[in-house]
Amino acid sequence: MSKQPSTATGDFFTNMPDARQHLIALAILFLIPFFLFTATTIGGKELQRHDTTQWRAAAESVIEYRETYDREPLWVTNMFGGMPAFVVSVKTVVPHIDRIKGIFSNIYPAFQYWVLLSGVYFLLVLIGFQSLVSVFGSLMFSLTTYIPIIIIAGHNSKFESLAIIPWLIAGYWLISHHKKKLSGFLLFSVALTLELRAGHPQITYYFYYLLGILWVFDGWKSYQEKSIKDWGITTALLISGTILGVLGYAEKLFAMQEYASYSLRGGSNLSGTTGLTTDYAFAWSQGIWETITLIIPGYFGGASPEYWGPKSFTSGPHYLGALSLPFILIALLRDRRRIVYAFFTAGTLGIFFAWGENFRLLNEFAFDYIPYFDKFRAPETWLVFTAFCYTVVAVFGLNWFVNFISQKNKELKQLYLPIGISVGVIVLLFIQVNSADFTRPGEVQNIANQIAQQNQVQPTNPQVQQRAQSYVNAQLVPAREEKAKSDVLRFAIIIVIATGLIYLTFTGKIPVSAGLFGFILIVAVDMIAVDKRYIPEDSIVSGNVNAETILESQRRDIDTWIQEHISENSTYPYRVLPLLRDPYSSSTPAYFYPVIGGYSASKLSVIQDVMYGNGPLNIQSQNFNPELLNLMNVKYVTYSQPLPLPGFTQVFRGEQGLVFENQNVFPKAFFVDSVITTQEPAQAYNYLMPGQLNFANTAVVETSDQLVTSSDTTSNVAVTEYTGPEITLEVSRSEPGFLVLSETYYPAGWTATLDGEEILIYKTNYFQRGLQIPAGEHTVKLHFMPETYRIGVILAWGALIVQVLIFLYWGFRRFRNRMSGDT
């Protein structure tokens, strides 16, 4: 091919002043949320987000306490027999971005999108890309389908965490690649504080891998350039910024770090683990071939129920856009800067981690040896990290193309290989899509089992197997095949259009800026069209339908009846086992009254052991022990039919279910006649099995202390105060005794006093609390205030003051430089 002269001179956009270019670029980004979420931004509607509704139900006791006492509670009373409130909802003691977010709450998620879009744009401009190239990259990452999927699901903290990430990376880039190290340090520390306050440590953890890879890359580069001193300064600033950023949210972060060792993410005393199990952590591992959904979103059906990939179910793919492939290839094949490979290496590592159980050689090693790797689940989440890193690589590719166009001796053959590989991928995909069987692993056998059960025959019956296979082939495969082929064709069309745009720009038939606007339009239309597939119409509701309204709409007459009777003749509310709803997978009932279950992704490990799997409080378990309902202060059970449990009497028939009252429910606090002591958690757990103990008379305590108790007919316990974080008991005995509280045991923060003198709280019945009480009349007070939280509050205020002082100093320096004419 002959060399082509550049005809990009006089480009209408690049001739504008930089400030105007940035304004136009930001205006484009500003408009994107309006196109994606028109109904909520300008249509007066709201998103109905399942997880947000679940959070609101779980936070009910926190909100009630806050409104009653005008202070922040640290203990939740309406789920799991109690748990720390900072796992659910605690307001920060330091002013932060929530106040600004509140202004824009009526157009959610536009504000968070603006933060994300402008953050990616700012980072890319810092790296050195021109404005339209940066807009291209900002749209590519910010519109990846994973983001609208988590927005619809109500994963607010995850979205807000992702929105801050580019600002954090920008702070790193200012420190390490610019002379404005003070500005970078301030941005890095503040962004890290906001990132942590967003409340999704999994996302923060992932992106620190990118920071680590960039740090190593910069260190090696400094070593080669003999500027190791500069790298040392950068390292010191990063460490200091990390410390300051962490301290900015110390009040919750320190308490959560302490809590982690007692939560299911800290392992279980029964299994001897210190983190999640691999089976649990590797659930939702990305299939190796399923990674193709980064560029072909519908190849595996998209979202459940059409999805036919290896995961149990999914809400959608991690689509990065069709244009990502050719520009990533251009960057890898034509851009000689090693920083490109740093980002590409990080993104590829994210893919390997996303494969989870499908790449055990790497992931089990990481699970066992990399700090904190075993604290997080759902490996596919790594793909959002990959999307970010690959976006930067694609931007390097587009930037190379822009610079390539300006060269006088450019040759089109330099684009043959990346474009040729893209075309080759299209051909391979057409071949693959025509040979795939589109059958979910184990799907035929599962359907065969259902057919066999309905017809009371064996699943191995040839006729049953044939019917199952015919059903899959006729009812499921055609739709899946159509969606996959349609998206492969769609991908091919986009590549063809992009190739034409590349050629027109190369030959000078259109200005470079026109070509860039064309690429931006392709990315925007492509990504928004796919994103809208995962924004279902029923997720958009009237503007006045908030989480409380949704929960109230689910109120039943049985809920109202229980609310009216839950604290009857008592200073505290009893608990409920809501069998009409999944008691251990939904927080909705906790909005109406305290329940023994609920939902939390980070519940206490003792609760996980007792209430889930084969635990004795799981009604579906063969180890279910109904006496533990008495022990857990469960007074009511809701069910749809007569309850096959001894001691439960129907007390109310509603339109949507029945309410049964427990005639043998234990009080909130009671004395036992005898105590069994053990130092082995597994032994204490075994006593919870059916038929082992009468818990009305005997308690199992994990201690080596000598405890004293006996039958005492004169003993008395009165609960005079019960708020959750504060409990007051008036007790009397004629001789020493052991008191059991129907409250979940958590050692980090609970203190007990007897007439003002602190006494020990014993781990009792594996998951409850117990106290040794001397003879006589006494006042017992229990209070929850973790020392880590108290110290964290002080440190958070201190960090804020330091950040404000740095900001004032930075502002003073800029003002002085301006006044002196120093640019």
Side-chain angles (χ1 to χ4, degrees):
M1 184 73 183
S2 61
K3 297 177 181 178
Q4 298 290 331
S6 173
T7 58
T9 57
D11 191 306
F12 70 96
F13 188 83
T14 56
N15 288 336
M16 292 181 182
D18 289 346
R20 188 175 299 176
Q21 290 185 37
H22 291 315
L23 285 174
I24 293 173
L26 290 173
I28 294 171
L29 299 178
F30 178 86
L31 291 173
I32 289 301
F34 290 93
F35 289 108
L36 187 57
F37 290 98
T38 305
T40 63
T41 51
I42 59 177
K45 302 287 186 178
E46 289 184 0
L47 293 175
Q48 178 176 315
R49 294 160 277 161
H50 175 267
D51 281 22
T52 302
T53 305
Q54 290 294 295
W55 165 83
R56 178 57 186 85
E60 176 62 16
S61 68
V62 173
I63 294 170
E64 284 184 356
Y65 184 100
R66 194 181 288 153
E67 293 174 348
T68 302
Y69 300 102
D70 195 27
R71 61 178 184 265
E72 199 65 19
L74 297 179
W75 192 256
V76 170
T77 61
N78 58 328
M79 294 196 308
F80 301 118
M83 67 185 298
F86 40 76
V87 182
V88 179
S89 173
V90 172
K91 286 186 177 180
T92 178
V93 297
V94 179
H96 61 93
I97 200 70
D98 281 347
R99 296 182 179 179
I100 301 174
K101 283 162 40 184
I103 300 173
F104 300 98
S105 60
N106 291 334
I107 58 170
Y108 179 88
F111 173 73
Q112 288 79 359
Y113 251 120
W114 293 335
V115 173
L116 175 62
L117 288 159
S118 60
V120 178
Y121 178 80
F122 178 65
L123 170 62
L124 295 175
V125 169
L126 271 183
I127 292 175
F129 304 122
Q130 62 169 270
S131 55
L132 291 182
V133 174
S134 300
V135 170
F136 174 87
S138 180
L139 293 178
M140 181 170 284
F141 174 69
S142 301
L143 295 178
T144 181
T145 52
Y146 184 69
I147 292 179
I149 286 169
I150 61 176
I151 289 171
I152 294 301
H155 296 172
N156 298 357
S157 62
K158 187 180 291 186
F159 179 39
E160 291 170 10
S161 180
L162 284 169
I164 300 297
I165 281 297
W167 295 98
L168 180 66
I169 307 299
Y172 171 87
W173 204 266
L174 277 172
I175 292 173
S176 59
H177 292 80
H178 289 260
K179 294 181 180 180
K180 301 178 180 179
K181 295 191 182 297
L182 182 61
S183 301
F185 177 81
L186 180 61
L187 177 59
F188 184 82
S189 66
V190 172
L192 180 56
T193 296
L194 295 176
E195 170 67 20
L196 295 171
R197 287 183 179 181
H200 206 284
Q202 185 172 6
I203 295 298
T204 311
Y205 177 78
Y206 287 174
F207 279 89
Y208 253 80
Y209 277 73
L210 175 59
L211 290 176
I213 289 172
L214 293 175
W215 176 77
V216 170
F217 169 81
D218 289 334
W220 177 249
K221 182 180 178 183
S222 297
Y223 172 76
Q224 291 181 315
E225 296 175 354
K226 302 186 185 305
S227 58
I228 201 71
K229 180 180 177 181
D230 291 338
W231 182 71
I233 293 172
T234 294
T235 301
L237 288 172
L238 289 173
I239 293 173
S240 301
T242 296
I243 293 172
L244 185 59
V246 167
L247 292 181
Y249 197 39
E251 78 271 21
K252 182 173 179 180
L253 197 64
F254 287 8
M256 283 296 294
Q257 175 65 25
E258 182 178 55
Y259 173 81
S261 61
Y262 300 102
S263 75
L264 63 88
R265 296 176 188 269
S268 168
N269 287 328
L270 297 182
S271 60
T273 57
T274 57
L276 300 175
T277 63
T278 54
D279 288 343
Y280 183 79
F282 288 170
W284 283 279
S285 294
Q286 185 80 352
I288 293 176
W289 178 241
E290 190 183 5
T291 310
I292 197 66
T293 56
L294 284 169
I295 57 174
I296 310 293
Y299 194 95
F300 279 86
S304 299
E306 292 84 6
Y307 173 73
W308 58 277
K311 296 189 285 284
S312 56
F313 64 88
T314 185
S315 298
H318 289 254
Y319 180 56
L320 185 55
L323 280 189
S324 61
L325 178 63
F327 286 112
I328 287 174
L329 290 171
I330 289 174
L332 295 177
L333 296 171
R334 295 294 175 236
D335 197 316
R336 302 303 181 189
R337 286 173 291 182
R338 285 173 288 182
I339 187 66
V340 173
Y341 298 97
F343 279 101
F344 183 74
T345 298
T348 303
L349 182 65
I351 288 178
F352 293 160
F353 285 153
W355 287 345
E357 65 179 2
N358 300 311
F359 191 7
R360 285 187 172 270
L361 180 64
L362 171 66
N363 285 295
E364 287 189 349
F365 174 84
F367 193 86
D368 292 335
Y369 296 106
I370 297 180
Y372 300 107
F373 196 94
D374 62 349
K375 306 301 180 185
F376 305 108
R377 63 174 188 146
E380 70 155 349
T381 309
W382 275 100
L383 290 178
V384 74
F385 170 81
T386 296
F388 182 88
C389 296
Y390 278 10
T391 292
V392 177
V393 177
V395 172
F396 271 106
L398 179 58
N399 185 70
W400 179 90
F401 175 72
V402 171
N403 293 332
F404 169 69
I405 294 300
S406 66
Q407 296 174 6
K408 293 182 179 180
N409 298 322
K410 61 182 181 294
E411 294 181 341
L412 189 59
K413 67 181 181 180
Q414 290 183 269
L415 296 172
Y416 286 173
L417 185 57
I419 298 299
I421 293 175
S422 298
V423 173
V425 169
I426 293 173
V427 173
L428 289 175
L429 286 172
F430 273 113
I431 294 173
Q432 173 66 28
V433 80
N434 282 288
S435 61
D437 64 6
F438 298 100
T439 303
R440 187 179 178 86
E443 183 174 50
V444 173
Q445 188 58 49
N446 289 337
I447 294 174
N449 292 340
Q450 297 174 19
I451 295 173
Q453 186 176 11
Q454 294 171 358
N455 293 276
Q456 297 182 346
V457 296
Q458 291 297 318
T460 55
N461 185 298
Q463 291 183 337
V464 171
Q465 291 287 326
Q466 184 178 6
R467 283 182 59 189
Q469 186 67 61
S470 298
Y471 175 82
V472 171
N473 291 340
Q475 301 297 323
L476 304 178
V477 167
R480 295 168 178 172
E481 184 176 8
E482 170 61 26
K483 181 172 287 188
K485 288 183 176 180
S486 173
D487 271 5
V488 170
L489 178 60
R490 183 179 183 276
F491 172 76
I493 292 172
I494 291 174
I495 295 299
V496 169
I497 294 173
T499 301
L501 198 56
I502 287 173
Y503 179 77
L504 291 173
T505 308
F506 173 83
T507 57
K509 296 184 182 301
I510 61 173
V512 173
S513 294
L516 289 175
F517 274 114
F519 293 130
I520 288 171
L521 182 62
I522 292 172
V523 166
V525 172
D526 173 28
M527 302 296 284
I528 289 175
V530 175
D531 287 348
K532 284 185 174 292
R533 298 179 187 179
Y534 306 102
I535 305 175
E537 292 184 6
D538 59 4
S539 66
I540 308 296
V541 296
S542 299
N544 59 350
V545 181
N546 54 28
E548 290 154 348
T549 304
I550 294 170
L551 288 165
E552 284 294 341
S553 70
Q554 299 178 36
R555 176 186 289 274
R556 304 160 301 186
D557 51 0
I558 58 174
D559 297 322
T560 301
W561 188 92
I562 293 175
Q563 275 187 324
E564 293 171 351
H565 294 82
I566 197 73
S567 301
E568 196 171 49
N569 302 320
S570 173
T571 56
Y572 55 85
Y574 286 89
R575 298 192 179 102
V576 178
L577 175 62
L579 293 180
L580 280 176
R581 293 186 173 103
D582 189 341
Y584 301 130
S585 296
S586 172
S587 298
T588 300
Y591 176 76
F592 302 104
Y593 33 69
V595 296
I596 65 169
Y599 174 76
S600 171
S602 186
K603 62 187 74 68
L604 285 164
S605 62
V606 291
I607 294 298
Q608 178 74 19
D609 294 338
V610 171
M611 295 186 183
Y612 294 79
N614 287 322
L617 263 173
N618 184 355
I619 199 166
Q620 296 179 343
S621 166
Q622 61 183 2
N623 295 325
F624 175 64
N625 185 358
E627 189 174 350
L628 296 186
L629 298 179
N630 307 334
L631 188 63
M632 276 294 288
N633 209 218
V634 173
K635 188 172 184 178
Y636 298 111
V637 175
T638 62
Y639 201 47
S640 58
Q641 55 192 7
L643 192 66
L645 292 176
F648 283 84
T649 303
Q650 181 182 322
V651 290
F652 182 75
R653 174 181 289 275
E655 294 181 1
Q656 295 158 302
L658 308 173
V659 179
F660 298 87
E661 181 176 348
N662 185 1
Q663 304 299 318
N664 302 316
V665 61
F666 297 170
K668 177 68 69 178
F670 60 96
F671 285 105
V672 291
D673 300 337
S674 62
V675 170
I676 299 172
T677 61
T678 178
Q679 296 183 56
E680 298 295 331
Q683 186 176 5
Y685 180 82
N686 289 335
Y687 278 112
L688 301 181
M689 296 300 118
Q692 295 293 312
L693 290 179
N694 180 356
F695 288 99
N697 301 321
T698 305
V700 181
V701 183
E702 295 177 41
T703 182
S704 59
D705 295 350
Q706 296 295 320
L707 302 177
V708 179
T709 191
S710 61
S711 177
D712 184 352
T713 58
T714 66
S715 66
N716 184 60
V717 182
V719 180
T720 58
E721 179 188 33
Y722 182 82
T723 66
E726 301 95 11
I727 303 174
T728 302
L729 311 171
E730 298 295 335
V731 300
S732 62
R733 280 186 68 90
S734 59
E735 51 190 88
F738 191 81
L739 183 71
V740 176
L741 278 81
S742 178
E743 295 289 302
T744 297
Y745 177 79
Y746 179 64
W750 275 104
T751 56
T753 59
L754 181 80
D755 301 328
E757 297 292 328
E758 187 170 345
I759 59 175
L760 290 175
I761 301 176
Y762 292 96
K763 186 184 178 189
T764 303
N765 298 330
Y766 189 73
F767 65 104
Q768 294 186 315
R769 303 178 216 161
L771 304 169
Q772 178 70 64
I773 305 296
E777 296 184 357
H778 306 283
T779 299
V780 177
K781 290 182 176 289
L782 292 97
H783 180 65
F784 184 66
M785 173 56 70
E787 187 70 6
T788 50
Y789 181 83
R790 188 186 65 80
I791 294 173
V793 169
I794 298 171
L795 293 175
W797 276 109
L800 176 65
I801 292 171
V802 171
Q803 288 171 336
V804 170
L805 290 175
I806 293 174
F807 174 77
L808 293 175
Y809 175 69
W810 172 80
F812 171 75
R813 282 185 55 182
R814 285 184 59 86
F815 175 76
R816 186 182 63 183
N817 291 338
R818 283 176 177 269
M819 294 299 293
S820 64
D822 185 358
T823 57

